[in-house]
Amino acid sequence: MKKTLSVTAVAAAIALSLTACGGGATAAAEGEISYWLWDSNQLPAYQQCATDFHTANPELSVKITQRGWADYWSTLTNAFVAGTAPDVFTDHLTKFPDFVAKKQVLPLDDAVKSGNIDTAQYIDGLADLWVGQDGKRYGLPKDWDTVGMFYNKAMTEDAGISDEQMNTLAWNPTDGGTYEKAIAHLTVDKSGKRGDEAGFDKKNVAVYGLGLNGSGSAQGQTEWSFLTGTIGWTHTDKNPWGTVYNFDDPKFQETIAWWASLVEKGYMPKLETTVGAAMPDTFGASKSAINTNGDWTIGQYTSLKDLKVGIAPTPIGADGKRSSMFNGLADSISSDTKNPEGAAKWVQYLASSACQDVVAAKAVVFPAIKTSSDIAEKAFAEKGTDVSAFTQHIKDGSTFLFPITDNAAKVEAIMAPAMDAVVSGKSPASSLTEANTQVNELFTK
């Protein structure tokens, strides 16, 4: 559902200047700044940021528009074509290389310099993600995320699986380890037989041990990347700005073959059943026992009525370590802006502790600034939510960066159907070699 909210806001006292590489500059930072985001859960926090921003300087106002994920990107794409894109918008790592290539976003280097923004204040690695191949910065970090396992505690208790066991599950691509054993035991057919019991009917499953969000396409962020991260595999030859993808690696294909086998065994839903269905909703309806998902969904899972939810870290790999993709969003300035100075002030404020502390206190996501992230962890704890499954990846250094390359949309167009075919059982994992060849050809043209 679309939701739109307008908020009057005012600029911060610290002035910033921005040298625009497109769009008209104004003589002074004043007027209305349009700002777009997609997460409705974060809207109240940014409304408060806008209100605080307003207190500092009344000659600027901010109009915030929130749209759902899919609608957000299609509307933004159309707005860029029409020359009506917002002044500032929440950006994603899969999108920003294309925006840079099309000169649809402005570099923020002058804003960072004149605003004395210390990029070392952010969680290590986040600021580096938003530097283009031209060496210029196109986004300032707003938050970070890792992956964990949400599980139905009533189901695990009924299955005789303790929280400690959930927190120490181990995985390997040969037999799935204790991770697969838990998934199998938590799967229950309509006659009450568990997945690891004789007589289990995989064609009539009442509760799946593991929920399915989709095939994961080219990234597999919440689906399989936390598994492939433990086998020494990387998406590309280097990151960021790799030019060779590795979907043809036998280790990767072995992992995907194991993961897809959970569908054939009846432990995970068929891919076609997930179309139009939100994984947290099926979890809330007690149709799955475990969901692997990102920390941005913490509130969604813990607020489910009549459900006691546990959160466990990703399983330990054969290398003895856990793994999680490390992603982070940022705010970018559109080259369509007619007020680059005002837009720069708003971006600077969004990237400051003044705003990120407000976001942290809402206990929805983890802000990019280290001290703000600590506040968020305490805020979650005060709400009775242990988020260590997500934060321990940062503390242990068990993360790897979200893959950033050119041709992201074209890579997605090739890998989405290829991965779908494997997970749906229509093609073997070895078919990903041909898809990988098509992907790598994009970088040789």
Side-chain angles (χ1 to χ4, degrees):
M1 178 188 298
K2 278 191 214 174
K3 295 180 183 176
T4 303
L5 177 68
S6 296
V7 182
T8 300
V10 182
I14 302 175
L16 269 178
S17 65
L18 179 66
T19 301
C21 298
T26 57
E30 59 183 20
E32 183 178 83
I33 301 299
S34 55
Y35 177 55
W36 288 13
L37 52 78
W38 65 76
D39 189 354
S40 61
N41 293 321
Q42 297 185 55
L43 193 57
Y46 285 104
Q47 177 177 353
Q48 183 61 54
C49 285
T51 299
D52 296 342
F53 191 54
H54 171 61
T55 301
N57 198 336
E59 64 267 18
L60 277 169
S61 63
V62 174
K63 180 180 181 181
I64 302 179
T65 299
Q66 181 268 323
R67 292 183 171 89
W69 172 263
D71 188 40
Y72 180 91
W73 294 110
S74 60
T75 304
L76 184 60
T77 297
N78 292 336
F80 273 125
V81 172
T84 58
D87 296 296
V88 180
F89 64 97
T90 300
D91 206 347
H92 193 278
L93 289 169
T94 57
K95 309 292 185 179
F96 106 91
D98 285 342
F99 292 147
V100 173
K102 296 175 182 177
K103 302 186 184 302
Q104 294 173 325
V105 288
L106 299 180
L108 302 178
D109 302 85
D110 288 342
V112 170
K113 183 178 180 180
S114 61
N116 295 315
I117 298 175
D118 181 9
T119 57
Q121 69 182 318
Y122 304 115
I123 297 288
D124 294 345
L126 285 183
D128 297 338
L129 295 173
W130 295 93
V131 177
Q133 295 188 79
D134 59 3
K136 297 178 181 179
R137 179 176 304 283
Y138 291 92
L140 281 173
K142 63 193 293 99
D143 56 34
W144 62 265
D145 55 72
T146 54
V147 178
M149 298 194 298
F150 297 93
Y151 63 95
N152 185 314
K153 296 193 72 167
M155 290 181 180
T156 54
E157 290 170 5
D158 186 57
I161 301 174
S162 67
D163 290 341
E164 175 61 25
Q165 288 174 306
M166 287 298 299
N167 288 328
T168 55
L169 293 178
W171 172 84
N172 68 75
T174 304
D175 62 13
T178 56
Y179 182 49
E180 179 170 342
K181 290 183 184 300
I183 292 169
H185 195 57
L186 288 166
T187 303
V188 183
D189 69 16
K190 292 181 179 178
S191 66
K193 290 285 186 180
R194 293 189 177 277
D196 55 0
E197 293 180 332
F200 168 70
D201 184 359
K202 66 179 183 180
K203 294 183 179 180
N204 291 287
V205 177
V207 179
Y208 291 97
L210 185 64
L212 180 63
N213 190 47
S215 69
S217 189
Q219 295 85 31
Q221 181 177 9
T222 63
E223 295 85 7
W224 43 259
S225 69
F226 58 92
L227 302 174
T228 57
T230 68
I231 60 172
W233 181 83
T234 57
H235 288 73
T236 53
D237 57 337
K238 63 179 181 178
N239 195 32
W241 311 115
T243 57
V244 177
Y245 275 84
N246 301 317
F247 299 120
D248 59 345
D249 189 320
K251 293 185 296 183
F252 172 77
Q253 294 181 7
E254 181 184 20
T255 299
I256 297 303
W258 170 83
W259 182 62
S261 76
L262 298 179
V263 177
E264 194 279 328
K265 293 171 184 176
Y267 303 160
M268 192 164 67
K270 292 183 178 180
L271 183 63
E272 58 265 30
T273 67
T274 67
V275 177
M279 188 169 64
D281 291 339
T282 57
F283 181 90
S286 297
K287 298 297 183 182
S288 59
I290 301 173
N291 275 190
T292 58
N293 219 327
D295 60 39
W296 63 89
T297 64
I298 292 173
Q300 194 170 0
Y301 280 94
T302 56
S303 64
L304 292 169
K305 292 183 178 180
D306 303 320
L307 216 62
K308 193 173 182 182
V309 179
I311 309 175
T314 55
I316 301 166
D319 63 353
K321 300 178 182 178
R322 306 183 194 279
S323 181
S324 173
M325 184 178 285
F326 186 44
N327 187 25
L329 305 180
D331 291 303
S332 296
I333 297 178
S334 163
S335 57
D336 285 344
T337 182
K338 300 302 186 293
N339 189 350
E341 289 82 4
K345 288 184 178 182
W346 176 232
V347 166
Q348 187 234 0
Y349 191 79
L350 290 168
S352 72
S353 59
C355 177
Q356 295 198 15
D357 284 356
V358 168
V359 175
K362 298 290 185 181
V364 177
V365 294
F366 295 100
I369 295 175
K370 297 172 185 176
T371 53
S372 302
S373 186
D374 291 339
I375 293 173
E377 189 170 2
K378 293 177 182 177
F380 276 115
E382 289 172 358
K383 294 174 66 173
T385 304
D386 180 2
V387 295
S388 59
F390 301 103
T391 58
Q392 77 174 67
H393 284 298
I394 304 298
K395 297 172 182 176
D396 297 344
S398 55
T399 63
F400 58 93
L401 297 178
F402 192 101
I404 303 170
T405 69
D406 284 330
N407 301 305
K410 294 178 181 178
V411 171
E412 191 80 359
I414 294 170
M415 291 307 301
M419 288 296 300
D420 284 356
V422 173
V423 178
S424 63
K426 296 176 182 178
S427 299
S430 59
S431 65
L432 297 175
T433 296
E434 173 56 29
N436 191 70
T437 298
Q438 295 177 40
V439 166
N440 286 339
E441 286 176 349
L442 297 171
F443 297 87
T444 60
K445 294 179 180 178

